[in-house]
Amino acid sequence: MMLLHLPEGSDRPTLVSLPRDSAVTVPGQGRNKLNAAYAIGGPKLLVRTVETVTGIRVDNYMEIGFAGFVEIVDAVGGVEINVRAAVNDPKAGLKLKKGTQTLTGAQALGYVRTRKGGALPDYERTKRQRQFLSAVVKKAASPGTLINPFTSIPLAMSATDAVAVDEDTGVFDMLSLGLAMGDSPVTTVVPFGGTENVAGGEAVKWDRAKALALFEALAADQPVPKEILDAG
């Protein structure tokens, strides 16, 4: 789950990963994991939960199926990803060398799903997901893709199956997303440390002070303090 903030003015957008196993207070449900909000009440309860725990109003909701992005990636001719460390995951049928390379849809899907690599696999996976989302939206919104009917038409058809939005989200909002991603957004994850037992089991506990500083900066359209940003 990710929160994209588009600030007023010329500052760069910020894309924040919200770990699905985060320990949060779900309105009317008590303490649970963040993804439980979606399981219990769908997008509406998920949005209410995110607004409650971050103090930030969510203007638009977009649900993206990573599986659907296989067709999108292939429709635009693949996406360029800088693979920071070689990946060998036989279960995912994925073997990638280190370095910048163009990934097919199947490879990209395996890349964002694999738990291989890093001391904290889920944490590393959120980095790859932000990296992938930025790359695919940037490629899809590029002039070379949009003016070419052999890519733009298959792209539009694939996107219909991969993306769902709330009733308040229109074409302009989706265009804003594309422009934001093309503007190389600041990417990070909610600061966390330790675990907490909730209704759904052991969950990731946010660093309250740092998380508060992060969300207060976003709410005020201020740059996120450098000491709070992760290395991704």
Side-chain angles (χ1 to χ4, degrees), residues 72-74 76-81 101-105 108 132 135-137 139-140:
I72 289 181
V73 172
D74 289 337
V76 298
V79 290
E80 188 174 272
I81 296 287
Q101 54 207 283
T102 299
L103 304 188
T104 65
F132 167 72
V136 72
V137 176
K139 178 71 176 289

Side-chain angles (χ1 to χ4, degrees), residues 40-57:
I40 295 170
K44 288 186 177 180
L45 184 57
L46 176 60
V47 169
R48 282 184 59 202
T49 301
V50 171
E51 290 181 331
T52 299
V53 299
T54 66
I56 295 176
R57 173 179 169 76

Side-chain angles (χ1 to χ4, degrees), residues 26 31 48 63 67 80 95 105 116 134 142 148 168 170 173 180 190 193 196 201 205-206 208 226 231:
V26 180
R31 297 290 285 177
R48 282 184 59 202
E63 186 174 318
E80 188 174 272
K95 188 172 184 179
K116 295 286 185 179
S134 295
S142 67
N148 185 345
D168 295 324
D173 299 301
V190 178
E196 177 184 339
K205 189 174 183 178
W206 291 358
R208 181 176 176 80
K226 292 183 179 179

Side-chain angles (χ1 to χ4, degrees), residues 12-204:
R12 292 165 63 192
T14 302
L15 185 64
V16 183
S17 284
L18 307 175
R20 62 178 185 174
D21 289 339
S22 296
V24 298
T25 298
V26 180
Q29 302 293 329
R31 297 290 285 177
N32 210 324
K33 295 181 180 180
L34 181 59
N35 61 353
Y38 183 90
I40 295 170
K44 288 186 177 180
L45 184 57
L46 176 60
V47 169
R48 282 184 59 202
T49 301
V50 171
E51 290 181 331
T52 299
V53 299
T54 66
I56 295 176
R57 173 179 169 76
V58 176
D59 295 310
N60 302 105
Y61 174 85
M62 184 178 297
E63 186 174 318
I64 302 172
F66 277 118
F69 265 67
V70 171
E71 293 183 7
I72 289 181
V73 172
D74 289 337
V76 298
V79 290
E80 188 174 272
I81 296 287
N82 181 15
V83 180
R84 297 186 177 98
V87 179
N88 186 6
D89 187 352
K91 291 184 178 180
L94 184 67
K95 188 172 184 179
L96 299 174
K97 61 184 180 180
K98 179 181 179 180
T100 300
Q101 54 207 283
T102 299
L103 304 188
T104 65
Q107 288 175 318
L109 180 62
Y111 181 69
V112 299
R113 282 182 165 176
T114 184
R115 294 178 182 272
K116 295 286 185 179
L120 297 171
D122 282 340
Y123 174 64
E124 294 298 324
R125 190 165 64 161
T126 65
K127 289 184 179 181
R128 290 194 295 271
Q129 289 173 349
R130 294 196 306 272
Q131 180 190 23
F132 167 72
L133 184 58
S134 295
V136 72
V137 176
K138 185 175 182 178
K139 178 71 176 289
S142 67
T145 297
L146 295 178
I147 65 175
N148 185 345
F150 293 102
T151 55
S152 60
I153 294 176
L155 170 62
M157 296 177 66
S158 300
T160 300
D161 296 328
V163 180
V165 299
D166 66 329
E167 59 185 14
D168 295 324
T169 298
V171 174
F172 179 78
D173 299 301
M174 297 185 72
L175 177 59
S176 296
L177 169 65
L179 293 174
M181 289 301 187
D183 199 25
S184 300
V186 174
T187 63
T188 191
V189 65
V190 178
F192 61 87
T195 59
E196 177 184 339
N197 288 320
V198 296
E202 189 175 72
V204 175

